[in-house]
Amino acid sequence: MIGHLLAGDRLIIAGQAKSHCVAWTVADLLREIQQRDPQLAQRVYLLEDCMSPVVVPGVVDFSKAANAAFAEFAAAGMHRITTTMTAPLNL
């Protein structure tokens, strides 16, 4: 499945739990990318305004953990984008 996902020119990722399910899935994908070819990370676009971290007001807030994970993904070459970006993305 990873090979199929990485076969395209761009992989756009969105999902519900940015701090958990999405972050874990992207981390797994990044590990595989780094084993195959680290340059493949540049094909991944993380659509951040189509996901949110787990937050239970007054109980727990995973926003910092989500942002830290996504900073690591960006440092590896993945792109952090939103649906409202005005700059061309060359998609």
Side-chain angles (χ1 to χ4, degrees):
M1 181 173 146
I2 298 286
H4 181 71
L5 291 173
L6 296 174
D9 293 335
R10 303 286 183 268
L11 175 59
I12 300 171
I13 298 175
Q16 183 52 40
K18 178 181 179 181
S19 56
H20 290 76
C21 301
V22 177
W24 297 336
T25 299
V26 174
D28 289 344
L29 176 64
L30 181 56
R31 274 191 296 279
E32 188 66 30
I33 284 172
Q34 289 172 332
Q35 290 175 4
R36 292 174 185 227
D37 178 2
Q39 296 298 316
L40 291 172
Q42 296 176 11
R43 294 183 185 179
V44 180
Y45 290 77
L46 306 169
L47 194 54
E48 289 196 83
D49 62 343
C50 290
M51 58 184 83
S52 59
V54 172
V55 176
V56 179
V59 178
V60 68
D61 183 342
F62 287 100
S63 298
K64 287 183 182 179
N67 290 334
F70 276 62
E72 290 180 26
F73 303 150
M78 294 180 176
H79 305 274
R80 298 172 77 172
I81 62 170
T82 67
T83 58
T84 58
M85 292 183 82
T86 56
L89 299 175
N90 299 322
L91 295 175

